[in-house]
Amino acid sequence: MKQILLSAIMLCCAALGNAQTISRSQANADIDTLLYTLREVHPNIYSNMHADQLNGLFADLKAELHDSISTLELYGKLAPIVAQIGDAHTVVALPYRDIMIKAGKYLPVYPTIDTNTGRMMVKASVGNAVPYDSEILSINGTSAKAMVDQMLTFVSGEREFFRLSMIDNNIMGLFHYLFPASEYAITYVEPGSKDEKSITLQAVESDRLNAGLVLSPKILKLMQEHGGNAPYTFRIMDDRKVAVMNFDSCIDAAGMEAFADSMFTTLRAKGIDRLIIDVRYNGGGNSNVGDVLLRHIAPRPFAQYGKTLVKVTPTTIALTGGRYEKADTIIYPETPASRHEPLPASQRFDGTVYLLTSHTTFSSASSFAWAFKEFGCGTVVGEETGGMSVHYGDVISFTLPNSGLGVNVSHKRFWQPGADENNIHGVIPDIICPMDEALERALKEF
């Protein structure tokens, strides 16, 4: 639920994290380590751009380095290069804590990015100084479009709408990395108006920001429905005889087994034969979790992946702690024998199922949505998913030795059942509508 809940900026200024300055030779060593590891682990870092071009970007960076560089500056150099690989799983991680500690005081407005238009909207502000749902036109003389365009260079993904969602997920960190200030002159338009307004607000400390934000009713409703730390919950709308399951994270397959058994037992006992599963805010995790749920609703044997390529090198083996025994590149085709069997008919949910998706639905959540549609589990409502039909994934994480910057890199490539290498896309809903309207749109179908 990170996509809809406001991230609290809880900082301890006595703990400065990994922010530091390193020498040119140390920075060069980190760059060499990064490029070497990407080449060794990723199935093909050159699939989106020619090798000479990508290698040249790293070489140019090394040539332009001064005698010393801060780790935050190095992040600003490396992240846009790695983003050009075009794999949303392969990134230099945003050093959020160090950025926010360095900023010290913050924009008293919490922006959000519309993933369909790229417009910068107001999710909340301290004291509602800039009314929620207003559109921000500029901050300190820089247009919102220019700010979004600059932030886009730091995030990766196969579709712009997904890259916009990645900005939205990291908006406060990216904003304060690129546009820190002691005061903010904001030009905006209130909802339902065409008149531009301006206000200048002073930057605020984290406690005032956390305590003073005024949330829109829409956000408050989402927090009520999806709040808490549980990866999956459900509620029954008694007036409609419909159950709504919030599937917000693909974690804990054993927990999903117990949850699904309990939920479907309850639905059968109450005579509920209409179910809506909401993965709009699910960014992925363990695909086995989706398999557990699919066994309860799939009408026939299913698989989330049609083919998987696994690249294993000595570096992969070292970084995964010996998960693999030997270096190899292996392709695992999907066969009828490898498909998962649904539960017996007496244990399966035999009612009507709708699935809600969004541009933020990614990785294992998107694979779940693909299998849901491919194997006839029900009707998909909402937006095209951020996860693609053919994609890299299964992230290996490592840390650059001198800067301490974190890096995630894929070591597999996945093809979902029926996917076409020449027509890569996310899950296309049966009923297309903005994510905010998906639940009501599904309810209208009953």
Side-chain angles (χ1 to χ4, degrees):
M1 286 312 303
K2 295 177 182 177
Q3 290 78 13
I4 62 169
L5 303 181
L6 294 171
S7 300
I9 305 172
M10 302 303 292
L11 303 175
C12 177
C13 293
L16 296 180
N18 293 321
Q20 58 179 314
T21 298
I22 59 176
S23 68
R24 177 175 182 170
S25 63
Q26 289 176 314
N28 278 330
D30 274 10
I31 295 168
D32 289 341
T33 298
L34 173 61
L35 182 54
Y36 175 82
T37 308
L38 291 175
R39 286 170 175 163
E40 286 292 297
V41 174
H42 198 277
N44 184 10
I45 62 170
Y46 305 118
S47 62
N48 197 50
M49 62 192 308
H50 194 275
D52 289 345
Q53 184 181 2
L54 183 59
N55 294 340
L57 292 174
F58 283 107
D60 291 344
L61 171 57
K62 292 176 67 176
E64 72 182 29
L65 289 175
H66 296 297
D67 291 340
S68 64
I69 185 171
S70 74
T71 56
L72 290 180
E73 289 177 295
L74 186 60
Y75 163 77
K77 303 288 188 181
L78 292 177
I81 296 176
V82 174
Q84 293 184 60
I85 293 172
D87 168 15
H89 286 94
T90 298
V91 298
V92 179
L94 179 74
Y96 180 87
R97 180 180 177 79
D98 291 337
I99 290 168
M100 302 306 278
I101 289 173
K102 181 180 179 181
K105 292 185 177 182
Y106 315 108
L107 175 71
V109 175
Y110 204 110
T112 185
I113 307 300
D114 186 311
T115 60
N116 290 295
T117 65
R119 296 159 64 205
M120 184 180 290
M121 311 299 291
V122 176
K123 183 180 288 187
S125 64
V126 174
N128 207 32
V130 182
Y132 50 72
D133 297 333
S134 296
E135 180 180 0
I136 296 174
L137 303 180
S138 68
I139 299 178
N140 289 343
T142 301
S143 71
K145 183 181 184 307
M147 288 188 285
V148 170
D149 286 345
Q150 190 168 349
M151 287 187 276
L152 276 171
T153 65
F154 283 79
V155 296
S156 186
E158 293 82 356
R159 291 283 193 277
E160 181 166 301
F161 64 69
F162 180 74
R163 293 166 62 216
L164 289 169
S165 76
M166 290 299 96
I167 293 175
D168 195 43
N169 292 350
N170 298 284
I171 186 69
M172 293 302 267
L174 283 170
F175 182 89
H176 288 95
Y177 181 72
L178 295 169
F179 313 108
S182 59
E183 67 176 21
Y184 297 95
I186 303 171
T187 303
Y188 63 97
V189 175
E190 293 186 7
S193 173
K194 295 183 179 179
D195 298 328
E196 293 186 13
K197 292 188 175 183
S198 297
I199 189 172
T200 298
L201 301 173
Q202 299 300 308
V204 298
E205 295 85 356
S206 61
D207 56 351
R208 186 179 170 203
L209 178 61
N210 290 327
L213 289 172
V214 176
L215 306 177
S216 71
K218 178 178 70 176
I219 296 297
L220 289 171
K221 184 173 184 291
L222 286 172
M223 291 176 69
Q224 181 181 18
E225 292 175 352
H226 293 262
N229 297 318
Y232 18 85
T233 58
F234 82 99
R235 64 189 186 278
I236 294 175
M237 304 175 71
D238 290 320
D239 56 330
R240 296 175 182 261
K241 302 295 276 186
V242 173
V244 180
M245 175 188 170
N246 298 324
F247 185 8
D248 294 332
S249 183
C250 296
I251 61 172
D252 188 6
M256 172 59 86
E257 187 74 64
F259 169 85
D261 285 345
S262 175
M263 179 180 74
F264 287 112
T265 297
T266 299
L267 298 188
R268 282 190 288 270
K270 291 181 175 291
I272 304 296
D273 62 357
R274 296 181 292 184
L275 172 65
I276 296 172
I277 301 173
D278 188 352
V279 293
R280 289 176 294 174
Y281 309 103
N282 192 327
N286 181 351
S287 297
N288 293 332
V289 178
D291 287 335
V292 172
L293 183 56
L294 285 166
R295 292 192 70 213
H296 286 266
I297 58 176
R300 62 181 188 271
F302 65 89
Q304 293 193 51
Y305 303 107
K307 181 173 67 174
T308 303
L309 180 149
V310 184
K311 178 182 176 182
V312 181
T313 66
T315 302
T316 307
I317 294 171
L319 289 174
T320 57
R323 184 195 307 177
Y324 302 98
E325 294 182 355
K326 64 178 182 178
D328 198 359
T329 297
I330 312 160
I331 295 178
Y332 296 97
E334 188 266 327
T335 65
S338 66
R339 293 187 176 184
H340 299 278
E341 290 290 334
L343 292 175
S346 61
Q347 299 177 42
R348 285 201 311 273
F349 182 74
D350 61 357
T352 303
V353 187
Y354 280 74
L355 181 70
L356 312 184
T357 61
S358 76
H359 293 329
T360 302
T361 306
F362 182 60
S363 195
S364 295
S366 184
S367 297
F368 169 84
W370 184 280
F372 178 95
K373 182 175 181 178
E374 180 73 12
F375 294 96
C377 298
T379 303
V380 182
V381 182
E383 299 171 334
E384 180 182 354
T385 62
M388 297 291 106
S389 52
V390 183
H391 62 276
Y392 297 106
D394 202 340
V395 166
I396 294 173
S397 299
F398 64 98
T399 301
L400 297 180
N402 297 304
S403 63
L405 292 171
V407 182
N408 296 330
V409 56
S410 301
H411 78 292
K412 295 180 182 178
R413 186 161 176 81
F414 300 97
W415 290 257
Q416 288 168 327
D420 181 354
E421 181 78 50
N422 298 311
N423 183 26
I424 298 174
H425 56 79
V427 179
I428 307 298
D430 301 294
I431 301 173
I432 298 174
C433 66
M435 66 175 292
D436 290 343
E437 301 173 12
L439 177 57
E440 288 303 319
R441 183 67 181 81
L443 289 170
K444 289 180 181 179
E445 295 296 307
F446 290 131

